[in-house]
Amino acid sequence: MGQGLKVCLESGPPPLSSKEQGGIDMAAAQQVADWLGRPLEIVWYEGEDDSDASPAAQVNGLLSAGECQLAGGFPLVSDGLRAPYNTQYPLVLPDHTRHFVSLGTLIHTVPYRSVDFRVLLGAAAGQRTVRSLDDLRGLRLLAEPSSLADNILLAHGGGVLRGNIMHVPMLQSDVLTALEKGDGAAALVEGPQHDAYQQAHPDSTLRDSGYRHPLQVNVGFVALDTLRGLVDLFDEAIPDLIERGDLATEFARRGYRFVPPVEPVVLPALTQRLLGTPSPGP
């Protein structure tokens, strides 16, 4: 066995990975560790729920503090990878102590999965057919406030759906639970979120419209630029695991659809223009 790997993962309910339930990002980390012949240690952390919190800065802080070598489940969007403006970050460590940490520069591995966005329909939608977001006009739409799905709906067509969107705070209810209860007629959600809901609610009456938004977000591991050699090793392992079907098989075993990475590897800044009129994927 080679030198051990320490990987930070956010702990949370499905589809996030957790020590109790495992999950797709933990599975990906284990697959890479096995490919490299290295023992894996997961460092679990809880995402900050402050309205001013920055998930990218928190991950950077954990890496800069030496809590782990890499962090998984990181959305590959240029906003999160840019150099920090404020290099001193008030980090809450996994042991709940707080320290100011000097942030470094993040680099990313090749992605190991992609997140798609699906339109789910409740009973109030009837037999509505959805070929584009324009077909949601007139329906009451549910979204988690400030989520990427929410921003896609808000930006679509210059804001034509804004008046139909009802926000569902995650502390009160899950968007799909609210949709099942009849609080709305449709919702745009991340694919893994839908997969997790289906596993937890096998008798759900929600209908997958079959529509997939053209925008997808790749997910990879990140590390400080001082560990470029380790990132290079991950860049060898991940494409091989995808090509051999190992990741797809492992995701399916856990009840998730494997969505392969797409181009561009890193999305540019998520402007209203990009969210409202994304370029079709390959």
Side-chain angles (χ1 to χ4, degrees), residues 120-130 136 139 179 184-186 207:
L120 277 294
L121 301 172
Q127 295 304 306
R128 178 75 63 105
T129 298
V130 181
L136 299 180
L139 297 181
L179 184 62
R207 180 165 61 93

Side-chain angles (χ1 to χ4, degrees), residues 209-224:
S209 70
Y211 172 75
R212 300 294 183 265
H213 193 270
L215 184 72
Q216 291 182 210
V217 181
N218 289 327
V219 176
F221 297 91
V222 289
L224 297 180

